[in-house]
């Protein structure tokens, strides 16, 4: 019989959940000197944090519900993150077309004026009035739009942001364990004793439950306890369709039900359309767009754009679930009116704390992490203040960035510019890690399709916790969109072969 050596390691803090919040907390806590372990049941960012609309924004629509505090705090984070991650978080212009029967134009202008002034714009362009007649918008929008407004926000590859948090945390000592589910957590003999799906166990002084939509499921199943807040699970879906228009801007389409739909230029040849709000009643293991949601998004586009979309134009869909919490069980607001702010619920029994993270946004993950780790101060003597405002991410260190960029292009001049740009967008300075010694395309090894080469895949397998082709094609990159099914299968078989000969896949 095979002998297995199960281990029990001891940490200060165990974080459950490898989404943007869990990895953000891991980075913050490790930077403050805590010994941290993070367990994620699947791939990093495999749940909500790869299924968002990917906006780094204040949330214009939250102004309508009077959530000024959330909007201001998110706008401050937008500025901070754009400075910390230059080139990774990109500015994006949003066109808000106006037609009769919508929120009045003066109200939209007022809202956008407030939006531009509530937080710092930094290098972003301010709001401007736009006409849609006899210009580049005329072939795109239907005739019922004559004028509108254009404003700025930020855009990020959400799944890669999670990876950068995890990489930074790991670099300074955090133990990051994907594909490792926490199956039980109990207080025993002066510490938390945690059981993992691989048979290992962990001892820790404190826990953070950053399981996103699984927050209450974790409390019930792993802690065998009662949830501290009630949440409503609401699914949001996106569809990816062939490019709707040849403009750089995103559009915001106002819907008759009071909601808004974004259309965002995506992966060069596509447009991302979303999102929906549907009550999610099935398992959290299966989060998929329903036909009803797909039809809703297609109708939203077809109502306002000249280009007509059919069901067969939908090339990919993805969905995520928000755990919306309400302060009062009686208050049953429409999902789009419930606050997107977060709440941290602390249970400090036996001086062994667990913090449950409820809600949040990609945009505010850093602030959420600061607040979470601050709550641990009474339990760890000498735990200092957060350093995430000033410590740069190695891949996007702004110091000497221009010089590095120039050298990068010079060094790899024989490789196609489109490839160099994709790597820079996805990996920043880490591109050097897998390009070391590469002179021309033939040094990149086997090509799997769509500009994905062996070098990059080996790097992802050895340095970014990748185990399946899904991780490569839909989270570390979005090259799945550009490949045929035969190419995708080819990648999976190659990766399996490499894993069987694990000694060979070191860089
Ligand atoms: C449709 C949609 C659009 C959105 N758009 C935006 C946007 O444009 N901008 C913005 O700022 N925010 C947006 N958000 C919000 C944002 O996506 C979420 O707030 C954020 O991703 C939540 O991250 P998280 O880490 O809390 O949760 P998740 O990313 O869901 O991570 C939780 C992780 O915990 C893991 N887990 C669960 N149980 C266990 C266990 N027992 N053991 C180990 N691991 C476990 C899960 O596998 C999961 O990976 C959007 C949300 C949705 C749903």
């Amino acid at each position: 019989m095979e002998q297995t050596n199960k281990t029990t390691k001891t940490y200060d803090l165990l974080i459950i959940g490898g989404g943007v919040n869990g990895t953000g907390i891991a980075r913050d806590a490790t930077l403050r000197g805590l010994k941290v372990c993070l367990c994620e049941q699947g791939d990093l960012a495999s749940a909500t944090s790869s299924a968002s609309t990917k906006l780094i924004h204040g949330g214009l629509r939250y102004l309508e519900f009077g959530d000024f505090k959330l909007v201001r705090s998110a706008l401050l984070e937008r500025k901070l993150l754009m400075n910390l991650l230059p080139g990774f978080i990109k500015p994006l212009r949003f066109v808000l077309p106006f037609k009769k029967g919508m929120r009045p134009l003066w109200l939209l202008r007022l809202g956008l004026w407030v939006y531009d002034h509530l937080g710092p714009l930094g290098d972003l362009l301010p709001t401007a009035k736009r006409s849609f007649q006899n210009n580049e918008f005329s072939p795109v929008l239907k005739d019922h739009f004559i004028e509108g407004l254009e404003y700025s926000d930020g855009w990020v590859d959400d799944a890669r942001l999670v990876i950068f948090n995890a990489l930074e945390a790991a670099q300074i000592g955090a133990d990051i364990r994907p594909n490792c589910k926490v199956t039980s957590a109990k207080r025993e003999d002066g510490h938390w004793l945690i059981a993992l799906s691989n048979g290992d166990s962990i001892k820790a002084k404190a826990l953070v439950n950053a399981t996103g939509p699984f927050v209450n499921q974790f409390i019930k199943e792993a802690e065998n306890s009662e949830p501290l807040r009630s949440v409503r699970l609401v699914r949001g879906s996106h569809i990816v369709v062939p490019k709707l228009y040849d403009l750089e801007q995103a559009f915001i389409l106002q819907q008759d039900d009071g909601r808004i739909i974004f259309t965002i230029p995506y992966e060069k040849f596509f447009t991302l359309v979303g999102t929906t709000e549907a009550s999610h009643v099935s398992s959290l293991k299966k989060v998929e767009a329903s036909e009803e949601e797909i039809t809703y998004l297609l109708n939203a586009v077809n109502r306002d754009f000249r280009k007509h979309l059919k069901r067969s134009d939908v090339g990919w869909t993805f969905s995520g679930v928000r755990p919306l919490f309400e302060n009062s069980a009686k208050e049953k607001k429409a999902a789009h009116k419930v606050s997107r702010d977060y709440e941290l619920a602390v249970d400090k029994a036996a001086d062994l704390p667990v913090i449950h993270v409820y809600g949040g946004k990609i945009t505010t993950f850093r602030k959420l992490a600061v607040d979470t780790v601050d709550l641990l101060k009474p339990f760890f003597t000498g735990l200092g203040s957060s350093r995430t405002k000033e410590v740069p991410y190695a891949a996007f260190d702004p110091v000497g960035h221009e010089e590095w960029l120039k050298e990068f292009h010079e060094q790899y001049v024989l490789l196609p510019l489109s490839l160099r740009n994709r790597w820079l967008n996805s990996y920043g300075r880490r591109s050097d890690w897998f390009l070391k010694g590469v002179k021309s395309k033939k040094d990149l090894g086997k090509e799997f399709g769509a500009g994905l080469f062996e070098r990059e895949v080996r790097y992802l397998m050895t340095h970014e916790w990748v185990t399946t082709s899904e991780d490569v094609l839909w989270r570390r990159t979005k090259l799945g969109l550009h490949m045929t099914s035969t190419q995708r299968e080819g990648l999976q078989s190659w990766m399996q072969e490499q894993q069987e000969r694990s000694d060979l896949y070191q860089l």
Side-chain angles (χ1 to χ4, degrees):
M1 214 168 109
E2 200 185 319
Q3 194 69 36
T4 47
N5 289 323
K6 298 299 172 195
T7 62
T8 305
K9 284 196 176 167
T10 304
Y11 297 87
D12 293 325
L13 175 65
L14 172 73
I15 298 159
I16 307 113
V20 75
N21 288 325
T23 56
I25 294 164
R27 177 169 186 250
D28 187 304
T30 313
L31 276 170
R32 294 199 217 188
L34 291 185
K35 189 175 176 199
V36 172
C37 177
L38 178 148
C39 292
E40 161 56 51
Q41 63 185 357
D43 182 26
L44 295 168
S46 53
T48 331
S49 298
S50 57
S52 80
T53 312
K54 305 168 204 319
L55 307 181
I56 295 294
H57 65 158
L60 181 60
R61 67 182 186 275
Y62 313 140
L63 282 182
E64 207 170 358
F65 310 121
D67 221 338
F68 292 96
K69 190 176 138 265
L70 169 66
V71 178
R72 172 155 172 82
S73 147
L75 288 173
L76 288 169
E77 284 302 297
R78 180 184 72 182
K79 167 89 182 336
L80 197 86
L81 292 176
M82 290 186 98
N83 287 347
L84 270 177
L85 294 158
F88 181 57
I89 297 181
K90 298 183 174 28
L92 183 61
R93 293 290 276 172
F94 289 78
V95 176
L96 185 53
F98 168 77
K99 71 176 176 208
K100 280 208 180 84
M102 290 178 165
R103 295 161 179 91
L105 193 57
W106 68 263
L107 184 66
L108 297 174
R109 284 191 87 160
L110 178 67
L112 280 167
W113 185 89
V114 174
Y115 196 66
D116 279 358
H117 290 82
L118 202 56
L121 266 174
D123 293 334
L124 294 174
L125 294 172
T127 298
K129 203 162 173 244
R130 297 304 308 244
S131 148
F132 302 131
Q133 287 184 315
N134 304 321
N135 60 17
E136 72 273 27
F137 294 108
S138 318
V140 176
L141 291 170
K142 285 194 176 164
D143 288 337
H144 50 247
F145 293 116
I146 294 166
E147 58 184 347
L149 299 161
E150 189 176 296
Y151 74 98
S152 298
D153 252 323
W155 198 87
V156 72
D157 182 334
D158 49 4
R160 288 220 55 83
L161 176 62
V162 172
I163 297 301
F164 285 123
N165 280 335
L167 285 168
E168 292 287 319
Q171 189 94 10
I172 48 173
D175 182 1
I176 307 289
R177 303 190 190 188
N179 302 308
C180 182
K181 182 174 177 174
V182 172
T183 52
S184 97
K186 55 186 177 202
R187 293 174 171 101
E188 200 175 276
D189 299 333
H191 52 248
W192 279 99
L193 184 63
I194 298 109
L196 307 179
S197 53
N198 62 4
D200 286 347
S201 47
I202 279 178
K203 285 182 185 173
K205 174 96 198 282
L207 293 192
V208 172
N209 169 7
T211 56
F214 300 81
V215 59
N216 281 348
Q217 186 176 317
F218 179 83
I219 299 176
K220 286 188 214 156
E221 292 176 7
E223 276 192 68
N224 203 9
S225 185
E226 275 308 303
L228 303 179
R229 302 278 183 280
S230 69
V231 293
R232 232 194 308 167
L233 298 182
V234 176
R235 187 177 61 245
S237 298
H238 292 81
I239 57 175
V240 177
V241 297
K243 206 171 181 171
L244 276 172
Y245 48 83
D246 230 339
L247 301 168
E248 286 179 349
Q249 292 97 325
F251 283 83
I252 298 189
L253 310 175
Q254 299 189 67
Q255 303 304 297
D256 295 339
D257 57 8
R259 300 189 62 256
I260 51 168
I261 298 296
F262 292 99
T263 66
I264 301 173
Y266 192 58
E267 286 287 310
K268 208 163 170 188
F269 306 113
F270 302 93
T271 303
L272 180 65
V273 183
T275 176
T276 56
E277 265 159 354
S279 183
H280 188 77
V281 283
S282 50
S283 159
L284 281 169
K285 282 192 192 133
K286 199 165 181 259
V287 182
E288 286 170 357
S290 66
E291 279 306 315
E292 210 180 336
E293 289 172 274
I294 296 173
T295 307
Y296 175 86
L297 294 173
L298 290 174
N299 287 344
V301 168
N302 290 338
R303 202 174 299 129
D304 291 339
F305 281 89
R306 289 193 192 276
K307 189 162 177 184
H308 188 87
L309 288 178
K310 303 181 293 301
R311 176 65 181 84
S312 54
D313 289 318
V314 178
W316 186 43
T317 69
F318 62 85
S319 310
V321 173
R322 292 179 202 266
L324 296 182
F325 68 93
E326 278 155 330
N327 291 326
S328 141
K330 282 185 224 133
E331 132 192 80
K332 270 268 173 258
K333 291 182 186 167
H336 70 279
K337 293 186 180 168
V338 179
S339 172
R340 269 31 173 181
D341 213 346
Y342 55 83
E343 193 163 305
L344 305 170
V346 195
D347 161 7
K348 352 177 164 172
D351 230 14
L352 293 169
V354 51
I355 302 174
H356 305 287
V357 175
Y358 284 91
K361 289 159 61 69
I362 297 281
T363 313
T364 48
F365 83 90
R366 194 204 62 86
K367 171 120 192 331
L368 183 150
V370 176
D371 293 346
T372 306
V373 184
D374 278 351
L375 285 173
L376 294 173
K377 279 184 174 177
F379 307 93
F380 294 96
T381 357
L383 187 65
S385 303
S386 175
R387 296 173 57 216
T388 54
K389 253 189 190 173
E390 54 281 341
V391 177
Y393 285 73
F396 295 96
D397 191 344
V399 177
H401 184 71
E402 288 309 313
E403 295 78 8
W404 176 84
L405 202 59
K406 195 167 162 270
E407 271 172 36
F408 176 84
H409 283 297
E410 278 168 12
Q411 195 171 351
Y412 303 114
V413 68
L414 295 178
L415 299 172
L417 182 62
S418 58
L419 268 184
R420 276 182 268 150
N421 283 337
R422 178 174 72 75
W423 291 326
L424 286 172
N425 279 330
S426 300
Y427 304 101
R429 293 192 187 208
R430 290 186 79 91
S431 311
D432 268 342
W433 286 44
F434 58 89
L435 291 178
K436 216 170 278 164
V438 168
K439 298 248 171 345
S440 66
K441 233 171 152 180
K442 72 174 179 13
D443 300 326
L444 291 169
K446 183 178 167 64
E447 182 175 5
F448 300 98
L452 180 69
F453 290 85
E454 188 177 331
R455 275 270 176 162
E456 186 174 345
V457 181
R458 281 184 192 280
Y459 158 80
L460 290 172
M461 291 171 81
T462 49
H463 292 87
E464 291 198 6
W465 302 281
V466 152
T467 55
T468 69
S469 58
E470 291 267 307
D471 306 344
V472 177
L473 297 174
W474 301 107
R475 282 181 291 276
R476 300 308 179 281
T477 76
K478 291 290 184 285
L479 291 174
L481 275 172
H482 307 271
M483 282 186 174
T484 63
S485 54
T486 314
Q487 289 172 328
R488 294 195 291 257
E489 282 157 23
L491 173 68
Q492 180 59 28
S493 319
W494 183 87
M495 285 176 66
Q496 249 158 13
E497 235 171 72
Q498 299 308 302
Q499 280 155 342
E500 280 154 22
R501 310 155 65 196
S502 58
D503 55 318
L504 292 184
Y505 78 79
Q506 296 301 318
L507 268 183

